[in-house]
Amino acid sequence: MTRWQEMIGNLVDLLPAAPATVAVDGAGDRNALVADRLAEALDPRVLVTTGPGWRESRPDALVWLRLSPGKADGPEHQADVVIDLHDPDWPVIRHVDPRLADRTRWYLPESRAFFAVRAATWDAKFGDDLPAYAAAVAEAALPTGGTAVDVGCGTGRALPALRAAVGPTGRVLGVDITPEMLAVARERAATLLLGDARRLPLRDAVVDGIFAAGLVAHLPDPTDGLRELARVTRPGGRLVIFHPTGRAALAARHGRPIRADEPLSRGPLATATAAAGWRLDRYDDAEHRFLALATRV
């Protein structure tokens, strides 16, 4: 099965049942290509249209094909489904309105698909972030000889710093859902596990420190995700929530404003960490990075 077939199959499961109207827009002459593939897979009673006519016709679902992130007030942010066509051979569902489907139905396969095609070039694009990762790990003050886990480790940019933090008697694990990312991470000294952050392949209370870069905000339910991180962490263990870019700069890069209800906004994060068994000790949302530190209670 090709990535196109996989993505179309996932999309069909998310769209309204027949009879319905689905509009496809956002990518010019590529709209018809996606619409044709979708029409072939859908019930014949589902009408698939293309182009900006959806503004007047009010379809049951709008599928937006994203070639690059759109503006905050643009049509992409009105869409029920957003498909990333940055790489036209590797389409990925990036957003589904909750009224169509709970995010847990598409989070895992589409997240894997998004990162799989980017794994080989990830470090070349973001390798300058390594000092920021090392600084964030250092500020967490992880115990020498402890066990540290990088959840959502990607290519393993935090693994060397975690190894330095826990020392030669400590243990470092990297967990990620994408085999292609882990293949790149093998170059760094750690034990690597293929696993979902929502169901970690670890026993209860065995971890002294968890590093989570770019993870929490992307989980279908951040509180449940934080609760799973707490499950595997010993009382007094540390959680590092990190991103090498501050929230304002990252939002601007994606053409949208920061919202007060986002998972990493101070209020929602404080509420979620407390509900999940953490004490939020530090919250630092600077221009050059995001860093939150919490302790397992």
Side-chain angles (χ1 to χ4, degrees):
M1 179 183 293
T2 69
R3 170 85 278 254
W4 267 102
Q5 290 171 325
E6 181 184 19
M7 186 279 294
I8 291 293
N10 289 338
L11 182 57
V12 167
D13 289 341
L14 299 172
L15 292 174
T21 301
V22 176
V24 179
D25 196 11
D29 57 2
R30 297 180 187 173
N31 295 338
L33 172 64
V34 175
D36 288 346
R37 295 188 181 195
L38 192 55
E40 290 175 358
L42 284 167
D43 187 303
R45 294 172 297 163
V46 177
L47 175 65
V48 182
T49 65
T50 62
W54 57 268
R55 299 173 189 272
E56 291 77 35
S57 64
R58 296 184 180 181
D60 297 293
L62 170 62
V63 177
W64 188 262
L65 308 180
R66 184 176 79 181
L67 301 177
S68 60
K71 295 181 179 179
D73 57 352
E76 172 185 328
H77 297 275
Q78 303 174 43
D80 301 293
V81 179
V82 176
I83 298 174
D84 189 330
L85 284 185
H86 174 73
D87 181 342
D89 295 324
W90 201 265
V92 180
I93 298 171
R94 294 296 287 155
H95 166 78
V96 177
D97 190 284
R99 74 178 179 82
L100 293 182
D102 187 287
R103 192 177 178 190
T104 56
R105 287 178 53 188
W106 58 276
Y107 161 77
L108 189 59
E110 293 301 320
S111 293
R112 276 182 172 151
F114 178 83
F115 288 107
V117 73
R118 291 163 172 80
T121 58
W122 194 264
D123 283 353
K125 187 174 182 180
F126 298 110
D128 291 345
D129 294 336
L130 288 174
Y133 276 74
V137 170
E139 291 179 54
L142 301 178
T144 301
T147 296
V149 182
D150 185 354
V151 181
C153 67
T155 60
R157 286 179 290 167
L159 296 178
L162 292 171
R163 165 56 60 202
V166 300
T169 60
R171 187 182 185 198
V172 177
L173 307 175
V175 181
D176 203 272
I177 61 171
T178 308
E180 292 82 356
M181 284 286 188
L182 291 176
V184 178
R186 288 194 187 100
E187 300 175 4
R188 296 177 166 124
T191 300
L192 301 177
L193 302 173
L194 180 66
D196 187 344
R198 301 168 300 167
R199 292 179 292 276
L200 290 169
L202 298 170
R203 299 191 307 274
D204 294 354
V206 294
V207 174
D208 298 288
I210 286 186
F211 189 86
L215 172 73
V216 174
H218 295 290
L219 293 173
D221 187 322
T223 302
D224 280 351
L226 288 165
R227 190 173 289 116
E228 175 64 0
L229 301 184
R231 178 188 68 79
V232 302
T233 305
R234 297 184 178 99
R238 300 287 278 163
L239 169 64
V240 185
I241 302 173
F242 172 74
H243 197 282
T245 304
R247 292 172 59 242
L250 188 62
R253 184 190 302 170
H254 291 285
R256 62 174 180 80
I258 288 180
R259 302 192 319 272
D261 62 347
E262 291 177 352
L264 293 185
S265 291
R266 184 188 291 268
L269 185 60
T271 299
T273 49
W278 299 97
R279 182 185 69 241
L280 185 61
D281 300 317
R282 180 175 173 185
Y283 183 92
D284 181 11
D285 187 13
E287 181 178 355
H288 67 288
R289 71 159 187 194
F290 177 87
L291 178 67
L293 300 177
T295 301
R296 180 72 168 98
V297 297

